[in-house]
Amino acid sequence: AEVFSAALTAPTGDLHLEVRGVGPIKLPVSQAQARQLCVLGRPARYGRGEQTLLDRDVRDTWEIPKSRVKIDKRRWNETLQPVLERLGRKLGLTSGRALRAELHSMLVYGPGQFFLEHQDSEKDDGMVASLVVGLPATFKGGALEVRHGGQTATYQGSKKALSFVAFYSDCRHQVRPVASGYRVVLTYNLLLREAAAGSTVDPDAELVENLAGCLEEHFACSG
C-alpha cells in the first residue's frame, strides 16, 4: 500500500505555549481554556485555487491569529525535530532529505464544528506536506480523515499526549464534526530543506543538521 500519511505521539513536556489574551496553555487543554480560545478566535478561512474564502458550511472552526501564539522554540524543537525525522522516514523520504516545519495556524474546533473534505492550498513553493499537531484534550468526534488513491486513513486525538499527523499536499482530507468537547491543534506547512553546500541555514534547520549527522557531509559533497 502507498504511504501518503504518517502519525506519531509524543509527551507534552517540551511544548511551552502561550496565547496573548489567554496566557500559558496548560496541557491537557481544559474546557475552560478552550472556550477562552474560541472567544479570541476568528472564523477560519480556506483556500480554493488563488482565492481565500469564508464559508461556515464548508469550514466551521476558530482560528487564533498567529501573532498571538508564542512557542518556546528552543524547547519545542527538542521534541519536534526528532518527530519530523521519524515522520519523514515513515513518508519515505530518501536519506539526507529533511523536513522543516513552519507554523501556519492554531485552530479550535468546538461542538458541532468541522471542515469538509478539501486539499490544502500550497502556501509556499517548497511545501510538500502538512503537519497537524493535536494538543491533548477530552473530546468526542473530530477525527481527521486523509484520503489518497482510494485509500483512507483516520486519526483520532489523544487525551494525554501530543498527536502528530503528516500527509502529502496532494491528499484530500477532512475533520469530522466534533460531538463534544474541544479539539485544539497547531497546523504546520512542511517544506523540504535543501542540504546543498552554501545554502543558508535557519536556527531550526541547524537542529535537524545535528540529527542528520554524517548524511550532511555526504549531501554537501554531492550538492
Side-chain angles (χ1 to χ4, degrees), residues 152-203:
T152 303
T154 303
Y155 302 100
Q156 295 284 358
S158 167
K159 289 183 182 179
K160 295 188 175 168
L162 295 166
S163 58
F164 297 80
V165 180
F167 49 89
Y168 281 114
S169 298
D170 60 348
C171 294
R172 295 187 65 77
H173 55 286
Q174 66 177 329
V175 177
R176 289 283 187 186
V178 171
S180 65
Y182 294 84
R183 175 185 185 265
V184 185
V185 301
L186 300 171
T187 67
Y188 287 83
N189 301 329
L190 293 181
L191 293 83
L192 269 184
R193 196 177 57 71
E194 291 305 320
S199 64
T200 55
V201 175
D202 63 31

Side-chain angles (χ1 to χ4, degrees), residues 5-206:
S5 65
L8 287 169
T9 58
T12 60
D14 288 327
L15 181 56
H16 291 236
L17 175 67
E18 276 187 49
V19 174
R20 191 159 46 82
V22 175
I25 304 300
K26 296 188 178 73
L27 302 177
V29 182
S30 68
Q31 304 275 315
Q33 272 206 322
R35 281 192 287 270
Q36 284 182 293
L37 290 169
C38 290
V39 170
L40 202 66
R42 59 190 178 202
R45 297 167 183 271
Y46 65 97
R48 182 185 291 159
E50 298 295 307
Q51 297 175 292
T52 301
L53 308 171
L54 179 63
D55 182 347
R56 293 179 77 168
D57 290 333
V58 174
R59 183 180 198 183
D60 186 7
T61 179
W62 298 108
E63 183 170 9
I64 310 303
K66 196 164 64 171
S67 58
R68 287 182 172 268
V69 179
K70 185 183 170 202
I71 296 172
D72 180 341
K73 277 192 174 178
R74 188 175 289 277
R75 284 291 301 274
W76 180 217
N77 277 325
E78 292 185 19
T79 290
L80 182 60
Q81 296 302 346
V83 163
L84 286 177
E85 230 194 23
R86 287 173 62 201
L87 287 172
R89 285 201 298 271
K90 283 181 166 224
L91 287 171
L93 286 190
T94 53
S95 290
R97 308 302 296 277
L99 289 171
R100 181 165 64 85
E102 288 183 352
L103 181 65
H104 180 248
S105 63
M106 181 178 191
L107 302 171
V108 185
Y109 292 78
Q113 292 189 301
F114 61 91
F115 195 174
L116 294 184
E117 186 169 293
H118 63 287
Q119 188 173 331
D120 281 346
S121 50
E122 294 186 22
K123 297 115 188 154
D124 184 290
D125 286 344
M127 182 178 164
V128 292
S130 297
L131 172 68
V132 178
V133 182
L135 306 188
T138 300
F139 63 91
K140 288 184 177 157
L144 171 64
E145 291 184 358
V146 184
R147 296 187 212 285
H148 194 269
Q151 298 177 66
T152 303
T154 303
Y155 302 100
Q156 295 284 358
S158 167
K159 289 183 182 179
K160 295 188 175 168
L162 295 166
S163 58
F164 297 80
V165 180
F167 49 89
Y168 281 114
S169 298
D170 60 348
C171 294
R172 295 187 65 77
H173 55 286
Q174 66 177 329
V175 177
R176 289 283 187 186
V178 171
S180 65
Y182 294 84
R183 175 185 185 265
V184 185
V185 301
L186 300 171
T187 67
Y188 287 83
N189 301 329
L190 293 181
L191 293 83
L192 269 184
R193 196 177 57 71
E194 291 305 320
S199 64
T200 55
V201 175
D202 63 31
D204 290 9
E206 263 182 83

